[in-house]
Amino acid sequence: MDKAAEALRAAQLYYVQGAGMAAIADEMRISRSSVSRLLAYARDSGLVEITVHSPQEDRDQVAGRIAHTYGVRVHIVPTASHVNAAERLDRTARSAARLVALHTDTNTVIGVAWGATLSAVSRHLPKKPLHGTRVVQLNGAANESTSGVPYSSSILQAFAEAFGATVDLFPVPALFDDPDTKRAMWRERAVRSVLDVQARASVVIFGLGSPRAEVPSHVYAGEYLSPRDLAELAKRGVVGDCATVFFRADGSTDDIPLNERSSGPSFETLRTAAHRICVISSGSKLAALRGALAADLVTDLVIEESAARMLVR
């Protein structure tokens, strides 16, 4: 056997089959030093090429593809494959909390959409005392069984404590029973004043509701939608919601009757914010995410690693 053939055999045993130097020496009936020389020859002659794959470089490539495709800033949260859904949410929320703090400064208005994702974000906000900062609730949280105030206000209060901000609550139903009632309420000065603050937000942060989420979205699990509502959403091709405004895969919101009753801000209003931070910790929300991206709702995407890889695939 010539040297190249011996080097190839040694390399296959070592790199492909994982055999140790001593085992290769015994099998080939040569010394361990000869095995070492054959492996060196295999590398030098090009029989073996060693490539080091950096997980960070790989994540950067995924982030780059998402950024190029959708025109957003991407923040991928590293996670291992064995991490459960609750831990993925917690880690993603932690990264999102830091990003909110980065974009928040004196006199900033922060728009917050309540939900399980924002509840997790609120627990990780770093302390950054500021002056003149306001936190405004983007959509009502009441339904027929709860005022929604304790739940939504606890989230907003956490933001306020982190930034030394004042809070503008929005104590209205998440979804009105009658569109005419909503239109009448929107003419009230007290309601109008909150809507005006929402329109001045330069930072908005939100998760996305989805009927197919791995961890059920609060709006779908919290008695906000009746079976009739859910059937209507399916009929209209709805894939998700942002602050209880429902949208299709192409980002459109028109001709969805529930939106006439929703207390959430229009997408035109949301798009006026300079920083629109969307937080995604599960691949089960990718249909909703694609719809939000199509609607141009997102400037900054904070996304868990496995979900990011699914998005580019």
Side-chain angles (χ1 to χ4, degrees):
M1 184 182 298
D2 62 25
K3 187 174 184 178
E6 283 191 315
L8 179 59
R9 183 182 177 192
Q12 288 173 330
L13 290 169
Y14 186 75
Y15 291 108
V16 179
Q17 299 183 24
M21 301 278 277
I24 297 171
D26 288 344
E27 180 168 333
M28 296 184 67
R29 296 183 179 180
I30 57 178
S31 67
R32 290 181 62 178
S33 59
S34 296
V35 174
S36 180
R37 286 192 293 272
L38 287 173
L39 292 175
Y41 176 81
R43 292 191 297 270
D44 294 342
S45 63
L47 290 172
V48 171
E49 291 184 0
I50 298 175
T51 303
V52 178
H53 293 281
S54 165
Q56 180 60 50
E57 288 180 4
D58 191 28
R59 280 193 294 271
D60 289 346
Q61 288 179 356
V62 173
R65 288 179 62 186
I66 295 172
H68 177 74
T69 301
Y70 298 105
V72 297
R73 292 180 289 269
V74 184
H75 313 265
I76 294 180
V77 181
T79 54
S81 58
H82 64 272
V83 172
N84 62 32
E87 180 64 18
R88 288 200 301 271
L89 172 58
D90 193 67
R91 293 185 187 184
T92 307
R94 193 183 301 272
S95 293
R98 290 195 293 267
L99 186 62
V100 173
L102 179 66
H103 290 314
T104 300
D105 209 337
T106 298
N107 298 323
T108 299
V109 177
I110 310 169
V112 177
W114 53 263
T117 298
L118 267 294
S119 181
V121 171
S122 71
R123 294 193 292 270
H124 295 296
L125 291 165
K127 296 294 184 183
K128 186 180 179 182
L130 298 166
H131 298 286
T133 300
R134 298 177 74 164
V135 180
V136 61
Q137 183 176 341
L138 289 178
N139 55 319
N143 63 24
E144 62 183 14
S145 63
T146 176
S147 69
V149 171
Y151 177 72
S152 58
S153 65
S154 65
I155 296 172
L156 272 73
Q157 191 58 41
F159 277 78
E161 290 175 0
F163 302 121
T166 58
V167 173
D168 291 275
L169 292 173
F170 200 29
V172 299
L175 297 164
F176 288 86
D177 291 334
D178 187 331
D180 288 335
T181 305
K182 172 189 169 179
R183 283 189 281 270
M185 288 271 307
W186 261 226
R187 291 194 295 270
E188 292 292 325
R189 284 179 296 173
V191 173
R192 186 75 254 163
S193 66
V194 178
L195 297 176
D196 290 343
V197 177
Q198 291 176 359
R200 288 163 39 209
S202 59
V203 177
V204 294
I205 179 166
F206 53 88
L208 296 173
S210 169
R212 304 175 212 142
E214 184 178 17
V215 177
S217 302
H218 197 77
V219 71
Y220 295 92
E223 301 182 17
Y224 288 91
L225 299 170
S226 68
R228 181 177 178 181
D229 291 334
L230 292 170
E232 181 67 30
L233 292 177
K235 175 183 175 182
R236 303 287 174 172
V238 167
V239 296
D241 76 277
C242 177
T244 56
V245 176
F246 299 88
F247 56 86
R248 303 181 186 85
D250 63 359
S252 63
T253 60
D254 59 298
D255 197 29
I256 299 174
L258 229 58
N259 286 341
E260 296 298 311
R261 301 193 279 119
S262 171
S263 61
S266 70
F267 287 0
E268 289 78 9
T269 297
L270 286 179
R271 284 193 287 262
T272 63
H275 301 286
R276 306 186 294 277
I277 303 169
C278 179
V279 188
I280 297 292
S281 66
S282 170
S284 61
K285 289 191 175 184
L286 287 187
L289 174 58
R290 291 190 180 99
L293 290 165
D296 192 26
L297 291 185
V298 184
T299 61
D300 292 82
L301 175 61
V302 183
I303 184 168
E304 182 271 333
E305 183 173 1
S306 64
R309 296 185 187 283
M310 292 171 66
L311 180 61
V312 298
R313 286 200 296 269

